[in-house]
């Protein structure tokens, strides 16, 4: 998953990961193997995030809307990944909308998480070409690769 690839970058750069909030089995296994605490999102993770000071929160492939108590809890920034060229295609199913609208270029965005969903300042945007035979699956795979490559600049 993209979360794991990004976490590997963070660790390779010598940073510490205080925890990952995920119920994805692969992410949970990865966290356990590297002694990174993994919190089940069905638990009250808001309290967990606000107990210990930390610098950055990365929301990566997260379908939950984060409350302001969480987006304002890092000392520096809360950063969200979105598979679209924000502000265009904010919200869900961005790659499908791009294909339905016959776009020829799409993009991913790493942006500041704010109280308004997908409306924070864009920190990094990467263009992703759309080929005539692309599907939502193939476009999502291209976005995944573009997001992983762009994440390196955030760390």
């Amino acid at each position: 998953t993209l979360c794991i690839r990004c976490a590997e970058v963070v660790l390779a750069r010598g940073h510490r990961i205080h925890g990952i909030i995920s119920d994805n089995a692969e992410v949970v296994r990865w966290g356990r193997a590297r002694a990174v605490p993994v919190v089940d999102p069905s638990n009250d993770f808001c309290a967990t995030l606000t107990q210990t000071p930390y610098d950055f929160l990365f929301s990566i492939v997260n379908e939950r809307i984060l409350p302001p108590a969480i987006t304002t809890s890092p000392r520096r920034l809360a950063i969200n990944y979105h598979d679209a060229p924000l502000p265009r295609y904010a919200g869900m199913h961005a790659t499908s909308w791009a294909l339905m609208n016959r776009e020829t270029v799409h993009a991913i965005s790493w942006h500041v998480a704010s109280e308004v969903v997908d409306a924070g300042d864009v920190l990094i945007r990467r263009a992703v070409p759309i080929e005539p035979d692309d599907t939502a699956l193939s476009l999502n795979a291209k976005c995944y690769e573009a997001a992983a490559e762009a994440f390196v600049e955030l760390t």
Side-chain angles (χ1 to χ4, degrees), residues 68-139:
I70 292 177
T71 59
T72 60
S73 63
R75 288 185 287 225
R76 299 197 58 198
L77 278 178
I79 300 172
N80 185 59
Y81 163 70
H82 189 68
D83 61 347
L86 293 176
R88 189 171 171 97
Y89 297 119
M92 301 289 287
H93 311 294
T95 52
S96 294
W97 284 111
L99 291 169
M100 286 188 285
N101 290 329
R102 301 183 191 276
E103 301 284 358
T104 58
V105 177
H106 193 58
I108 61 92
S109 303
W110 287 99
H111 67 96
V112 176
S114 64
E115 287 187 38
V116 179
V117 176
D118 294 335
D121 291 340
V122 173
L123 303 169
I124 297 175
R125 180 178 291 129
R126 282 286 184 278
V128 178
I130 299 176
E131 303 301 327
D133 61 342
D134 269 328
T135 63
L137 180 62
S138 65
L139 184 53

